[in-house]
Amino acid sequence: RQYVKITSSGTGLTVGKGYIFRSATDYLIKFSGPPNAASSYSTPSIPRNDNAHYYLLGNPYPAVINWDNIDISNNISSTIWYRSCDINGHMVTADTWNSTTQIGTSNNGTQVDGKIPPMQSVWIQCASIGSGSLSIPNTVRSHSWGNANFFKSKAQQDKKDVLRLVLHSSNNRDETIIVQSESAQNTFENWDSRKFFNNDANIAELYTISPEKYSLVIQSVKPITTDSIIRVGIKVGTEGDYRFVADLSQAYNTYNIFLEDKQLQVKQDLFSNPEYTFHSTIVNDTTRFVIHFLPTPSVIANSPEAVCTPSTVDLTSEKITAGSATGLTFTYWTDSKATIPYNSPSNAESGTY
């Protein structure tokens, strides 16, 4: 949207409205007037004409406010988008917080949690085309600034399976999140957050595609129990080499997760190798990458009958894997991480495999 430049130092600022300040050098800004201390501040008419229409909301109080405690029932989405910087002061792509999912991205280096510091604006959006409104009461104020840069992780109340995928470009990063929860739906709703694009050629951007073909930064689905795929989109403004890094620390190991590069016909197990490097031209592409969720099959390993040396045991015998899921192909390894192959499983000597 077109921003209106403020050119006069005497221009009054509207309480609750967000403003953007940009300067090539350090600059001291002075404000005059008493601090805001009213019981509440209302934003009565928040417009949305299309999916790319956002509203910049300003924290009206000289204190931290908590987005989670603000009433958004009048056609306001559960998501806020921050534009922030990393610990070195470099501007990063937008961070996202979803108050329904209770999950946020960490493009600035620390996961955001819905706390909005004083003098900070965030983008919000109506839940549907039309208009909405909200009121910010003084009861949502907080003096907790969090552990670092105003941000503090919040305790998780709902059992969730979370896959975080980060796209690295030089010193920049952009994160997308896939959440599995019984409380979520497989269609777009408040558990999902749209992707806020920055259109910066120096920062490659990452997102997933909903069944409705919306671009998402947080996509929530019900627990996956059958073979499923989620399409991944990339927006690259500068040709070069890029790197995916998967964070599976909050993912339950009840299925296999593969990243597929359809262009190079490569499929990589993210549990075994969470990093993938690739080359990209300038694109906005939703066809190259796919994430596969494959439920882990039941595998039963029965101990073979004991034999005396120098006799060996045939580990490929059907008796060894009797009771396992059908249609499986077995491989044999000498270590628990399956990095050292065992080349003679049909004539196995004493050992653990």
Side-chain angles (χ1 to χ4, degrees):
R1 300 297 165 182
Q2 184 67 42
Y3 290 100
V4 178
K5 183 179 294 186
I6 296 176
T7 57
S8 171
S9 61
T11 301
L13 303 183
T14 302
V15 179
K17 184 177 182 179
Y19 294 85
I20 293 177
F21 172 77
R22 291 179 178 173
S23 175
T25 60
D26 291 345
Y27 192 87
L28 178 64
I29 302 177
K30 296 182 179 180
F31 297 92
S32 61
N36 295 327
S39 59
S40 67
Y41 293 94
S42 297
T43 305
S45 182
I46 299 173
R48 177 183 166 189
N49 298 327
D50 52 49
N51 290 342
H53 196 175
Y54 297 85
Y55 182 86
L56 192 60
L57 178 75
N59 177 356
Y61 291 106
V64 177
I65 61 174
N66 190 344
W67 174 253
D68 292 354
N69 296 332
I70 295 175
D71 182 6
I72 60 172
S73 60
N74 194 6
N75 197 31
I76 301 297
S77 165
S78 59
T79 300
I80 57 174
W81 294 266
Y82 301 80
R83 192 76 194 272
S84 59
C85 60
D86 60 22
I87 58 174
N88 297 314
H90 300 139
M91 189 66 72
V92 301
T93 185
D95 268 312
T96 306
W97 170 256
N98 187 308
S99 62
T100 302
T101 312
Q102 288 290 293
I103 283 180
T105 59
S106 53
N107 293 321
N108 72 91
T110 303
Q111 182 179 321
V112 297
D113 70 348
K115 301 292 196 308
I116 306 173
M119 306 291 293
Q120 174 80 46
S121 294
V122 295
W123 279 275
I124 64 174
Q125 188 178 60
C126 292
S128 60
I129 301 297
S131 64
S133 64
L134 55 75
S135 178
I136 304 175
N138 60 13
T139 55
V140 305
R141 293 177 299 178
S142 170
H143 293 289
S144 172
W145 290 73
N147 292 330
N149 296 334
F150 317 137
F151 304 134
K152 180 180 179 182
S153 297
K154 186 171 182 175
Q156 301 296 313
Q157 303 296 327
D158 182 73
K159 184 177 180 181
K160 293 181 284 285
D161 184 304
V162 181
L163 164 64
R164 297 176 181 269
L165 187 65
V166 179
L167 175 59
H168 291 266
S169 52
S170 298
N171 295 322
N172 300 306
R173 53 178 281 156
D174 196 33
E175 181 179 10
T176 193
I177 303 173
I178 300 171
V179 181
Q180 297 180 55
S181 171
E182 291 287 357
S183 300
Q185 303 296 322
N186 291 328
T187 54
F188 181 79
E189 37 106 26
N190 263 349
W191 274 70
D192 304 299
S193 296
R194 293 180 185 271
K195 175 66 178 178
F196 187 97
F197 290 99
N198 293 288
N199 300 313
D200 186 336
N202 297 314
I203 304 177
E205 299 189 81
L206 178 66
Y207 55 99
T208 61
I209 305 297
S210 74
E212 300 86 357
K213 298 183 179 180
Y214 299 148
S215 300
L216 303 179
V217 60
I218 300 175
Q219 183 168 356
S220 299
V221 297
K222 286 195 171 296
I224 296 172
T225 57
T226 59
D227 293 3
S228 302
I229 65 169
I230 290 181
R231 292 164 53 202
V232 176
I234 57 171
K235 188 173 185 179
V236 177
T238 303
E239 181 173 357
D241 294 328
Y242 296 89
R243 179 168 56 100
F244 285 126
V245 177
D247 179 355
L248 300 164
S249 60
Q250 295 174 281
Y252 305 128
N253 194 9
T254 56
Y255 41 76
N256 299 307
I257 303 177
F258 289 86
L259 174 68
E260 181 182 8
D261 183 340
K262 291 181 174 292
Q263 179 175 309
L264 299 182
Q265 298 183 342
V266 173
K267 189 179 289 186
Q268 180 168 303
D269 183 346
L270 292 179
F271 275 109
S272 299
N273 187 0
E275 297 191 17
Y276 181 77
T277 301
F278 65 97
H279 185 87
S280 177
T281 57
I282 299 174
V283 295
N284 187 3
D285 181 86
T286 61
T287 61
R288 179 173 179 178
F289 294 104
V290 171
I291 295 179
H292 295 264
F293 291 84
L294 306 174
T296 303
S298 173
V299 177
I300 296 176
N302 302 301
S303 297
E305 296 180 3
V307 297
C308 297
T309 305
S311 298
T312 58
V313 170
D314 182 6
L315 296 181
T316 65
S317 169
E318 293 182 357
K319 294 180 180 180
I320 301 297
T321 54
S324 300
T326 60
L328 301 180
T329 299
F330 295 97
T331 56
Y332 302 86
W333 311 82
T334 61
D335 65 314
S336 60
K337 294 185 178 180
T339 61
I340 306 173
Y342 186 47
N343 298 320
S344 57
S346 59
N347 293 292
E349 299 176 346
S350 177
T352 302
Y353 305 99

